[in-house]
Amino acid sequence: MTSDTPYPAGFAWGVATAAYQIEGAVDEGGRGPSIWDAFERQEGAIFHGESAAVATDHYHRWESDLDLMAELGIPAYRLSLSWSRLQPRGEGALNPEGVAFYRALLAGCRARGIEPYVTLYHWDLPLALHERGGWPARETAVCFGEYAALVAEELGDLAEHWTTINEPVCASFLSYSWGMQAPGHRDETEAVRAAHHLLLAHGLALAAFRERRPQAKLGITNLVSNLAPASEAPADRAARDQVDVRFNRVFLEPVYRGSYGADVVAVFGEHGLTLDEVEGGLVRPGDLALISAPADFAGVNHYTNTLIAADPEGWGGARMIQVEPTPTTFDWSDTPEALREVLLRVSREYTGLPLYVTENGAAFADYATPDGTVHDPERIHYLAGYTAAVGEAIAAGADVRGYFLWSFLDNFEWSHGYSKRFGIVYVDYPTQTRIPKDSAHWYRDFIAQHTPGRTS
Ligand code: IFM
């Protein structure tokens, strides 16, 4: 640590993206369809019926995108692999064209002095596996372990840090219970089964990768929301605890404590989660040892700071209200202390592993001015606050080793289509022109200032 920065030497400053949100080229390079390709075609699933078939065309523009990243002085890049590009049907040998694409991309990062941090799964399940039951089926987790083994063999030499699963809460509850993400189901039992199988997939992938690449640093990324009761009323406090179980604890407890706690089982027991491992049940003998096997880091994504009020009509009898101020186009808060609290909570209550903020950022209504510049003072305000909050968490004892801003490019924001711009680089979608926003220049200078030995 230097005297003028709270961040330790070697701190990874980066940006993050995900394959489906930027790559496009959905029918090229031998890629198979994923659940998102199918979900997009459902009436009303995506804002304005938009599609990620082209997205930011990164599949064709990856070299100039990496050049821009290097010009902006960004030393680390968290990206995800498309499972259905690498394994079009979710089983069998890897697709050579997919392997070649990702080998070139990862080597291209390193050639530019950018360290890649790779995520194996960011929600784009091969459609063929969905047709065999998707995440509610145990077999999907087994297939994921096999996929991870092949990735370790074919690509594992090109990155040190590997995340197994991104935000299992979204790939389970938002996808199988809330109906807002692919495959758009509304069935709480399916969601609980998906949640357990995503965690099992993490465990199987960790073991497979570890065996083939013992030097790799491995972990899972959870979305961790900061939650407080809307009032001191017992009903609001109880509602807050319900949401904490459903959103945070159902994932953090098995991974970092090796069991679903009694509160988690009290909420989800009726859907199959058990304290004990049951032969033939959802949680089977050996599952929890796999899920909680030692990892090398804990990934934390953070966006929301939420008050919880009792509401019999809401999910788990609760209603969520974003803490003010909520200037972002998602109505999410600009309240950086929430990130500090989340990092301290994870490090104090769950794990002493090094933490990485694997995603944090905000969407604003950015536009290009006639002189071809994009001014986003709100994002600079947001980033200044949240990066400072990371420093505060470190000063208070959290072992945070990196921060990945979401996102590098404006991109396809899932069911919200292109309506939410999270990038520090503006994308003019009709022409695919990239324009670094003011925040990109701010981040470049910030990184230089907080990286010993670097200048902008
Ligand atoms: O765009 C998403 C990303 O795919 C997962 N984490 C949250 C981001 C913003 O909603």
Side-chain angles (χ1 to χ4, degrees):
M1 209 180 288
T2 63
S3 54
D4 59 348
T5 177
Y7 314 102
F11 192 88
W13 290 111
V15 288
T17 65
Y20 193 70
Q21 294 178 269
I22 63 166
E23 281 182 8
V26 293
D27 294 323
E28 292 178 51
R31 178 186 179 277
S34 78
I35 48 173
W36 273 93
D37 301 80
F39 184 59
E40 274 181 19
R41 289 192 285 273
Q42 288 180 25
E43 183 80 32
I46 313 289
F47 179 75
H48 284 180
E50 288 169 340
S51 152
V54 177
T56 69
D57 196 29
H58 178 71
Y59 185 77
H60 299 114
R61 296 169 192 262
W62 66 268
E63 288 174 283
S64 51
D65 284 341
L66 292 185
D67 287 345
L68 179 57
M69 202 178 287
E71 277 165 33
L72 290 171
I74 295 167
Y77 176 31
R78 174 172 180 252
L79 59 103
S80 83
L81 309 177
S82 158
W83 187 353
S84 68
R85 190 177 292 292
L86 281 167
Q87 211 179 24
R89 297 190 54 78
E91 63 179 351
L94 293 190
N95 162 31
E97 281 185 85
V99 172
F101 172 68
Y102 288 117
R103 284 202 71 80
L105 181 64
L106 297 177
C109 288
R110 290 193 144 175
R112 292 165 178 80
I114 299 167
E115 182 59 28
Y117 287 63
V118 187
T119 300
L120 293 175
Y121 185 71
H122 197 125
W123 309 351
D124 40 2
L125 182 71
L127 190 60
L129 290 183
H130 169 67
E131 286 161 355
R132 282 158 49 186
W135 286 112
R138 191 176 174 92
E139 183 200 357
T140 300
V142 175
C143 290
F144 186 74
E146 291 164 6
Y147 156 71
L150 295 172
V151 171
E153 280 161 15
E154 303 266 4
L155 300 168
D157 57 320
L158 291 173
E160 188 183 4
H161 292 80
W162 295 81
T163 298
T164 52
I165 305 275
N166 183 69
E167 296 178 1
V169 66
C170 298
S172 55
F173 290 100
L174 273 62
S175 304
Y176 288 95
S177 174
W178 297 16
M180 62 183 281
Q181 300 208 332
H185 292 189
R186 292 180 184 275
D187 183 319
E188 189 86 335
T189 300
E190 280 193 14
V192 172
R193 294 181 62 79
H196 180 68
H197 293 146
L198 281 152
L199 293 174
L200 180 62
H202 154 72
L204 290 166
L206 193 96
F209 218 101
R210 185 80 85 213
E211 188 183 327
R212 288 159 182 85
R213 297 282 174 187
Q215 309 303 331
K217 297 210 181 331
L218 308 172
I220 184 171
T221 277
N222 276 301
L223 184 63
V224 188
S225 189
N226 195 51
L227 307 170
S231 78
E232 287 307 307
D236 286 349
R237 296 177 71 86
R240 182 260 167 214
D241 292 347
Q242 268 279 329
V243 174
D244 193 34
V245 162
R246 289 164 173 266
F247 219 86
N248 295 327
R249 290 173 57 189
V250 64
F251 300 102
L252 295 170
E253 291 185 3
V255 171
Y256 301 118
R257 293 186 183 158
S259 68
Y260 292 107
D263 292 349
V264 174
V265 171
V267 171
F268 290 126
E270 61 173 315
H271 300 293
L273 279 196
T274 42
L275 275 179
D276 299 323
E277 297 172 312
V278 179
E279 205 70 61
L282 175 59
V283 186
R284 298 192 186 171
D287 284 7
L288 290 164
L290 280 167
I291 292 169
S292 62
D296 304 293
F297 65 87
V300 174
N301 287 2
H302 173 75
Y303 293 92
T304 52
N305 188 20
T306 312
L307 297 175
I308 309 295
D311 178 355
E313 303 294 309
W315 188 53
R319 182 164 45 93
M320 304 188 196
I321 309 154
Q322 296 300 317
V323 173
E324 293 185 349
T326 56
T328 81
T329 50
F330 253 133
D331 283 341
W332 295 346
S333 316
D334 181 353
T335 49
E337 63 279 9
L339 175 57
R340 181 191 62 220
E341 292 310 309
V342 154
L343 292 169
L344 288 172
R345 179 184 185 195
V346 172
S347 70
R348 289 174 182 163
E349 291 181 29
Y350 289 101
T351 179
L353 287 173
L355 305 183
Y356 285 84
V357 179
T358 34
E359 285 180 29
N360 171 245
F364 296 103
D366 305 317
Y367 58 92
T369 59
D371 67 359
T373 53
V374 179
H375 306 300
D376 56 345
E378 307 93 337
R379 184 172 288 101
I380 293 174
H381 181 271
Y382 181 101
L383 294 173
Y386 279 76
T387 50
V390 173
E392 290 166 17
I394 293 169
D399 181 10
V400 190
R401 305 280 180 93
Y403 174 90
F404 291 80
L405 185 167
W406 185 270
S407 179
F408 179 53
L409 301 169
D410 290 337
N411 60 49
F412 180 79
E413 177 57 26
W414 308 108
S415 57
H416 300 274
Y418 298 99
S419 65
K420 309 291 181 198
R421 291 184 177 271
F422 275 92
I424 54 170
V425 173
Y426 182 87
V427 177
D428 177 54
Y429 293 110
T431 62
Q432 292 292 346
T433 304
R434 274 68 163 145
I435 305 174
K437 303 177 189 176
D438 288 353
S439 58
H441 303 300
W442 177 88
Y443 196 42
R444 175 197 60 204
D445 296 345
F446 176 88
I447 291 171
Q449 195 187 339
H450 293 283
T451 306
R454 269 177 91 105
T455 49
S456 56

